[in-house]
Amino acid sequence: MDHPRALLADDEPHLLDYLQTQLAAAWPQLRIVGKAGNGIEALRLIDELAPDVVFLDIQMPGLNGLALAERLATDGKAPHIVFVTAHHEYAVDAFEHAALDYLLKPTTPERLAKTVAKLQLALRAAASAPAVPPEALRALLQQLAAPLPAAPAAAPLQWIRAAHGDETRLIAIDEVIYFQSNDKYTSVFLQEGECLIRTPLSKLREQLDEARFWQIHRSVIVAAKSVAGTHTDFRGRLVVKLKERREQLTVSRNYAEQFKQM
């Protein structure tokens, strides 16, 4: 086939133009016979123009790319289909079985060249079987409709690299008495001395074991093992007394609840 015909479907006009420009460079013989901004329009243009190849976005209003491809396959008139998607790689294996190829956004010239080679080979082939088996598309639709599996929780922080004078120290998390936000840095207080790290307290909170480190103020997180007890000062504020250090830490009202049983 010297001049195959293609249809592009995406609900973002600038991405349609971008893909058309890339295809013009990668496959000059390909004729773009139509562009659609939604699934319904794409279906109408496919019926009207009968393209040999369709580049289908997955998420489109009216009729998504997968449902459209399934409908074409069911009708027995499917062109060769390439899915263009921003989906996470969890769906890649399914795409392999449901279309001639897939492209992840943003499309690179190198990846598009591989897709063009696949399409050219398929168009030269004599086989007339539909390019997209309906049962494969139905399986893909079910997989994409399922919620993403939850990512495994990251292991709690065990070591910290902290600046101490002109040196960088590697500190075991068990050595830390408390953390305190300090302008652009976070201070790490040990039994003896203090170090600095660049990690904001909010980000640090996400990496710490909640059972071992308690936030007692928006700017302070203390090691539970280092808490000797609490008392109320003359202003009525709850104050934490530490085992290894002489200073005492004020608990804000938002975090006082966890000390009621002490």
Side-chain angles (χ1 to χ4, degrees):
M1 189 176 293
D2 295 333
H3 295 283
R5 298 152 51 86
L7 177 83
L8 314 182
D10 197 309
D11 61 340
E12 299 183 66
H14 69 283
L15 293 180
L16 277 176
D17 295 340
Y18 177 69
L19 180 57
Q20 183 173 6
T21 300
Q22 285 193 312
L23 283 168
W27 196 357
Q29 297 79 18
L30 184 69
R31 293 173 53 200
I32 307 299
V33 296
K35 295 191 289 185
N38 59 66
I40 300 299
E41 183 184 9
L43 183 61
R44 179 182 63 79
L45 288 176
I46 291 168
D47 286 338
E48 180 182 322
L49 302 172
D52 305 297
V53 179
V54 177
F55 290 83
L56 274 181
D57 183 28
I58 295 295
Q59 296 295 338
M60 292 188 295
L63 187 67
N64 70 45
L66 295 172
L68 171 57
E70 183 178 18
R71 183 177 298 187
L72 292 173
T74 302
D75 291 343
K77 53 184 178 182
H80 292 291
I81 290 176
V82 175
F83 287 125
V84 185
T85 176
H87 274 271
H88 189 270
E89 287 81 357
Y90 84 96
V92 165
D93 288 342
F95 282 120
E96 296 276 22
H97 300 293
L100 188 139
D101 204 1
Y102 66 91
L103 292 168
L104 290 175
K105 299 177 183 179
T107 305
T108 64
E110 295 78 13
R111 182 64 181 84
L112 183 59
K114 294 180 180 179
T115 296
V116 167
K118 278 188 177 183
L119 285 167
Q120 290 172 335
L121 182 62
L123 290 169
R124 287 196 298 266
S128 59
V132 185
E135 62 277 5
L137 281 165
R138 280 191 287 270
L140 177 55
L141 281 168
Q142 292 175 357
Q143 178 173 340
L144 292 178
L148 279 171
L157 192 64
Q158 298 297 323
W159 298 90
I160 296 173
R161 292 185 182 274
H164 186 257
D166 296 330
E167 299 180 348
T168 299
R169 290 186 56 184
L170 185 61
I171 302 169
I173 199 69
D174 288 338
E175 296 180 47
V176 177
I177 308 301
Y178 68 96
F179 299 96
Q180 186 169 43
S181 181
N182 181 14
D183 294 328
K184 296 181 181 179
Y185 301 90
T186 297
S187 295
V188 182
F189 289 89
L190 311 173
Q191 185 169 355
E192 295 182 3
E194 171 188 353
C195 300
L196 293 176
I197 59 175
R198 292 183 178 272
T199 308
L201 200 70
S202 58
K203 293 294 183 183
L204 192 62
R205 169 72 277 173
E206 299 171 3
Q207 302 175 57
L208 295 171
D209 185 343
E210 292 184 1
R212 298 173 60 194
F213 286 89
W214 300 342
Q215 186 149 15
I216 64 170
H217 190 279
R218 63 190 177 96
S219 63
V220 178
I221 296 175
V222 65
K225 67 178 180 58
S226 297
V227 175
T230 62
H231 68 273
T232 303
D233 67 8
F234 70 97
R235 294 180 180 176
R237 300 176 305 181
L238 188 63
V239 175
V240 168
K241 183 179 179 181
L242 301 172
K243 295 177 182 177
E244 300 96 339
R245 294 182 64 96
R246 298 181 62 182
E247 67 265 33
Q248 299 185 20
L249 307 174
T250 301
V251 181
S252 71
R253 292 181 180 179
N254 291 338
Y255 299 98
E257 185 72 23
Q258 61 191 326
F259 293 98
K260 282 192 173 180
Q261 302 303 318
M262 294 188 67

Coordinates of all heavy atoms in Angstrom, one line a residue, residues 193-226:
G193 N 24.3 17.3 70.9 CA 24.5 18.0 69.7 C 23.3 18.1 68.8 O 22.2 17.6 69.1
E194 N 23.5 18.8 67.7 CA 22.4 19.1 66.7 C 23.0 19.1 65.3 O 24.1 19.6 65.1 CB 21.9 20.5 67.1 CG 20.9 21.0 66.0 CD 20.5 22.5 66.3 OE1 20.9 23.0 67.4 OE2 19.8 23.1 65.5
C195 N 22.3 18.6 64.4 CA 22.7 18.6 63.0 C 21.5 19.2 62.1 O 20.4 19.4 62.6 CB 22.9 17.1 62.5 SG 24.2 16.3 63.4
L196 N 21.9 19.4 60.9 CA 20.9 20.0 60.0 C 20.7 19.1 58.7 O 21.6 18.5 58.2 CB 21.4 21.4 59.5 CG 21.4 22.5 60.5 CD1 22.0 23.8 59.9 CD2 20.1 22.8 61.2
I197 N 19.4 19.1 58.3 CA 19.1 18.4 57.0 C 18.2 19.3 56.2 O 17.5 20.2 56.8 CB 18.3 17.1 57.3 CG1 17.0 17.3 58.1 CG2 19.2 16.0 58.0 CD1 16.2 16.0 58.2
R198 N 18.2 19.1 54.9 CA 17.4 20.0 54.0 C 15.9 19.6 53.9 O 15.1 20.3 53.3 CB 18.1 20.1 52.7 CG 19.4 20.8 52.7 CD 20.0 20.9 51.3 NE 21.2 21.7 51.3 CZ 21.3 23.0 51.1 NH1 20.2 23.7 51.0 NH2 22.5 23.6 51.1
T199 N 15.6 18.3 54.3 CA 14.3 17.8 54.1 C 13.3 18.6 55.0 O 13.4 18.7 56.2 CB 14.2 16.3 54.5 OG1 15.2 15.6 53.8 CG2 12.8 15.7 54.2
P200 N 12.2 19.2 54.4 CA 11.2 19.9 55.2 C 10.5 18.9 56.1 O 10.4 17.7 55.9 CB 10.2 20.4 54.1 CG 10.9 20.3 52.8 CD 11.9 19.2 52.9
L201 N 10.0 19.5 57.2 CA 9.4 18.6 58.3 C 8.2 17.9 57.7 O 8.0 16.7 58.1 CB 9.0 19.5 59.5 CG 8.8 18.7 60.8 CD1 10.1 18.2 61.3 CD2 8.1 19.6 61.8
S202 N 7.5 18.5 56.8 CA 6.3 17.8 56.2 C 6.6 16.6 55.4 O 5.9 15.6 55.5 CB 5.5 18.8 55.4 OG 6.3 19.3 54.3
K203 N 7.7 16.7 54.7 CA 8.2 15.5 53.9 C 8.8 14.5 54.8 O 8.6 13.3 54.6 CB 9.2 16.0 52.9 CG 8.7 16.9 51.8 CD 7.7 16.1 50.9 CE 7.2 17.0 49.8 NZ 6.2 16.3 49.0
L204 N 9.5 14.9 55.9 CA 10.1 14.0 56.8 C 9.0 13.2 57.5 O 9.2 12.0 57.7 CB 10.9 14.8 57.8 CG 11.8 14.0 58.7 CD1 12.9 13.3 58.0 CD2 12.5 15.0 59.7
R205 N 7.9 13.8 57.9 CA 6.8 13.2 58.5 C 6.3 11.9 57.8 O 6.0 10.9 58.3 CB 5.6 14.2 58.7 CG 4.3 13.6 59.1 CD 4.3 13.3 60.6 NE 4.8 11.9 60.8 CZ 5.0 11.4 62.0 NH1 4.7 12.1 63.1 NH2 5.4 10.2 62.2
E206 N 6.3 12.0 56.4 CA 5.8 10.9 55.6 C 6.8 9.7 55.6 O 6.4 8.6 55.3 CB 5.7 11.4 54.1 CG 4.7 12.5 54.0 CD 4.7 13.2 52.6 OE1 5.5 12.7 51.7 OE2 4.0 14.1 52.3
Q207 N 8.0 10.0 56.0 CA 9.0 8.9 56.0 C 9.3 8.2 57.3 O 10.0 7.3 57.4 CB 10.4 9.4 55.5 CG 10.3 10.1 54.1 CD 11.6 10.7 53.7 OE1 12.6 10.1 53.6 NE2 11.5 12.0 53.3
L208 N 8.6 8.8 58.4 CA 8.9 8.3 59.7 C 7.8 7.3 60.2 O 6.6 7.4 59.7 CB 8.9 9.5 60.7 CG 10.1 10.5 60.5 CD1 9.9 11.7 61.4 CD2 11.4 9.8 60.8
D209 N 8.1 6.4 61.0 CA 7.2 5.5 61.6 C 6.3 6.2 62.6 O 6.8 6.7 63.6 CB 8.0 4.3 62.3 CG 7.1 3.2 62.8 OD1 5.9 3.5 63.0 OD2 7.6 2.1 63.1
E210 N 5.0 6.3 62.4 CA 4.1 7.1 63.3 C 4.1 6.5 64.7 O 3.8 7.3 65.6 CB 2.7 7.1 62.7 CG 2.6 7.9 61.4 CD 1.2 7.9 60.9 OE1 0.3 7.4 61.6 OE2 0.9 8.5 59.9
A211 N 4.4 5.2 64.8 CA 4.3 4.7 66.2 C 5.6 5.1 67.0 O 5.6 5.1 68.2 CB 4.3 3.1 66.1
R212 N 6.6 5.5 66.3 CA 7.9 5.8 67.0 C 8.2 7.3 67.0 O 9.0 7.7 67.9 CB 9.1 5.1 66.2 CG 9.0 3.6 66.3 CD 10.0 3.0 65.4 NE 11.4 3.3 65.8 CZ 12.5 3.1 65.1 NH1 12.4 2.6 63.9 NH2 13.7 3.5 65.5
F213 N 7.5 8.1 66.2 CA 7.7 9.5 66.2 C 6.4 10.2 66.2 O 5.5 9.9 65.4 CB 8.5 9.9 64.9 CG 10.0 9.5 65.0 CD1 10.4 8.3 64.6 CD2 10.9 10.4 65.6 CE1 11.8 7.9 64.7 CE2 12.2 10.1 65.7 CZ 12.7 8.8 65.3
W214 N 6.2 11.1 67.2 CA 5.0 11.8 67.3 C 5.1 13.3 67.0 O 6.1 13.9 67.4 CB 4.5 11.7 68.8 CG 4.3 10.3 69.3 CD1 4.1 9.2 68.6 CD2 4.2 9.9 70.7 NE1 3.9 8.1 69.4 CE2 4.0 8.5 70.7 CE3 4.4 10.6 71.9 CZ2 3.9 7.8 71.9 CZ3 4.2 9.9 73.1 CH2 4.0 8.5 73.0
Q215 N 4.2 13.8 66.2 CA 4.2 15.2 65.9 C 3.5 15.9 67.1 O 2.4 15.6 67.4 CB 3.5 15.6 64.6 CG 3.7 17.0 64.2 CD 3.7 17.3 62.7 OE1 3.4 16.4 62.0 NE2 4.1 18.5 62.3
I216 N 4.2 16.9 67.7 CA 3.6 17.6 68.9 C 3.3 19.0 68.6 O 2.7 19.7 69.4 CB 4.5 17.4 70.1 CG1 5.8 18.1 69.9 CG2 4.6 16.0 70.5 CD1 6.6 18.2 71.2
H217 N 3.8 19.5 67.4 CA 3.6 20.9 67.0 C 3.9 20.9 65.5 O 4.5 20.0 65.0 CB 4.7 21.8 67.8 CG 4.5 23.2 67.6 ND1 4.9 23.9 66.5 CD2 3.9 24.1 68.5 CE1 4.5 25.2 66.7 NE2 3.9 25.4 67.9
R218 N 3.4 21.9 64.9 CA 3.6 21.9 63.4 C 5.0 22.0 63.0 O 5.4 21.7 61.9 CB 2.8 23.1 62.8 CG 3.2 24.5 63.2 CD 2.2 25.5 62.7 NE 2.5 26.8 63.1 CZ 3.2 27.7 62.4 NH1 3.7 27.4 61.2 NH2 3.5 28.9 62.9
S219 N 5.9 22.4 64.0 CA 7.3 22.5 63.7 C 8.2 21.5 64.5 O 9.4 21.6 64.5 CB 7.8 24.0 64.0 OG 7.6 24.2 65.4
V220 N 7.5 20.6 65.2 CA 8.3 19.7 66.1 C 7.8 18.2 65.9 O 6.5 18.0 66.1 CB 8.3 20.1 67.5 CG1 9.1 19.1 68.4 CG2 8.9 21.5 67.7
I221 N 8.7 17.3 65.8 CA 8.3 15.8 65.8 C 9.3 15.2 66.8 O 10.5 15.4 66.7 CB 8.5 15.2 64.5 CG1 7.5 15.7 63.5 CG2 8.3 13.6 64.6 CD1 7.6 15.2 62.0
V222 N 8.8 14.5 67.8 CA 9.6 14.0 68.9 C 9.6 12.4 68.8 O 8.6 11.8 68.5 CB 9.2 14.5 70.2 CG1 7.8 14.0 70.6 CG2 10.2 14.1 71.3
A223 N 10.7 11.8 69.2 CA 10.8 10.3 69.3 C 10.0 9.9 70.6 O 10.3 10.4 71.7 CB 12.3 9.9 69.4
A224 N 9.1 9.0 70.4 CA 8.3 8.6 71.5 C 9.1 8.0 72.7 O 8.9 8.2 73.8 CB 7.3 7.5 71.0
K225 N 10.2 7.3 72.3 CA 11.1 6.7 73.3 C 11.8 7.7 74.2 O 12.3 7.4 75.3 CB 12.1 5.8 72.7 CG 13.1 6.5 71.8 CD 14.1 5.5 71.3 CE 15.2 6.3 70.4 NZ 15.9 7.3 71.1
S226 N 11.9 9.0 73.7 CA 12.6 10.0 74.4 C 11.7 10.8 75.3 O 12.1 11.8 76.0 CB 13.3 10.9 73.4 OG 14.3 10.2 72.7

